[in-house]
Amino acid sequence: MPTIETAIEVFVRGHSAGRSRTFPYQISRVGALWWMRDAERKNARDYRKEEWIAYDVTPEDVDATARRHTRGHFYLGVVIAMGTPDAPVRAAYKALGYRLVGTEGFFVQPLRHLPSAPAVSQSVERVRTPELASRLGKITRKRPIADDLLSDDAPFRQYVALDGQEIVGRVRSVDAAGATWCADMFVEPSHRRRGIGRALLSRMLHDDKAKGSACSVLTATHTGALLYPHVGYQRIGTLLMLGPKS
């Protein structure tokens, strides 16, 4: 099992790569903290909120560092290891003027045991053509995947579940720090509880291992946290998402 510090680096680098699809999203280290933010823009009003990721750093130090270095609005992502009470951490950030935006489970699949794909009536495919990438872009309302990310050796792999010609599920894998970052797992409500999510993840994880990935890392909402252990993910922590009140 990779260390939590390793998993955090995979998360940061994979998340940043995803955000960079529309505009370069840069990574820096400030002491023990990870810092993600847009590259320089002509108009300061176009900057997206910066993100600071902390693990095993006191709330006071995280707050002081973020406020000292940020150029605008920011969020904090605080990772707490499994078995560590999170109530004292939440209380400390609340006392510093932060509000809790949300919490997600922090998971790792070591890729030692790969799940078998369940039998489903839908086909699961990797997005390899501009036509399918365009269809996916229309559904997600995002820029279609660039042609250079559709090749076999691309560091970005998008998978879809097709019910006929309809895209009913999707998931993405991004190469990061010798491992892979899993993001944007989604199945249409009308097609849930049919094994589509497991089928997508199984295909993705087999490809991850074939690419030489050391592990797959993801964060999950409460609903997702119920699915991922069925395909071999193990929860190693919790991610607190916090925003300053002012």
Side-chain angles (χ1 to χ4, degrees):
M1 176 68 73
T3 66
I4 195 167
E5 291 90 347
T6 297
I8 290 170
E9 181 175 0
V10 175
F11 158 47
V12 168
R13 295 192 181 281
H15 176 67
S16 179
R19 299 272 280 174
S20 292
R21 286 186 57 209
T22 55
F23 189 83
Y25 204 57
Q26 300 177 333
I27 301 170
S28 302
R29 291 299 298 267
V30 181
L33 302 179
W34 290 95
W35 184 15
M36 295 179 282
R37 66 174 183 170
D38 280 344
E40 292 292 331
R41 289 183 182 264
K42 293 181 179 178
N43 190 336
R45 291 179 296 180
D46 293 334
Y47 284 122
R48 293 172 288 185
K49 287 188 177 180
E50 300 174 2
E51 298 171 87
W52 291 84
I53 308 300
Y55 171 67
D56 199 25
V57 182
T58 67
E60 293 76 14
D61 286 347
V62 175
D63 175 63
T65 301
R67 293 186 185 279
R68 183 183 311 122
H69 292 278
T70 192
R71 67 186 165 202
H73 300 293
F74 66 92
Y75 283 120
L76 301 181
V78 179
V79 178
I80 302 174
M82 285 295 289
T84 301
D86 64 359
V89 179
R90 295 189 191 205
Y93 279 103
K94 184 177 180 180
L96 290 169
Y98 288 85
R99 60 185 177 86
L100 183 67
V101 178
T103 64
E104 293 191 348
F106 196 49
F107 287 82
V108 171
Q109 217 287 17
L111 299 181
R112 290 193 294 266
H113 304 290
L114 298 179
S116 299
V120 296
S121 57
Q122 296 75 22
S123 64
V124 173
E125 300 180 10
R126 180 178 169 188
V127 177
R128 294 182 181 274
T129 66
E131 184 273 333
L132 187 53
S134 177
R135 287 166 53 196
L136 178 62
K138 290 179 181 178
I139 291 173
T140 59
R141 298 182 180 180
K142 295 180 179 179
R143 182 181 301 172
I145 302 165
D147 290 354
D148 62 347
L149 293 177
L150 300 175
S151 62
D152 285 342
D153 60 350
F156 173 106
R157 293 176 295 283
Q158 180 77 52
Y159 301 87
V160 293
L162 297 169
D163 191 348
Q165 293 298 306
E166 181 185 5
I167 297 175
V168 297
R170 58 185 184 267
V171 70
R172 183 171 76 234
S173 181
V174 182
D175 292 347
T180 41
W181 167 245
C182 173
D184 293 347
M185 174 71 202
F186 181 80
V187 176
E188 294 290 344
S190 59
H191 284 71
R192 291 175 185 170
R193 299 184 181 278
R194 301 186 189 181
I196 295 173
R198 293 191 196 187
L200 282 163
L201 290 166
S202 176
R203 169 65 188 276
M204 181 198 76
L205 291 169
H206 279 80
D207 284 0
D208 284 353
K209 186 165 187 177
K211 288 276 292 183
S213 172
C215 64
S216 174
V217 178
L218 58 80
T219 62
T221 62
H222 176 71
T223 301
L226 301 177
L227 165 65
Y228 296 116
H230 291 289
V231 290
Y233 283 91
Q234 302 170 36
R235 184 165 183 166
I236 61 171
T238 299
L239 174 67
L240 302 182
M241 293 168 285
L242 303 145
K245 292 180 181 179
S246 60

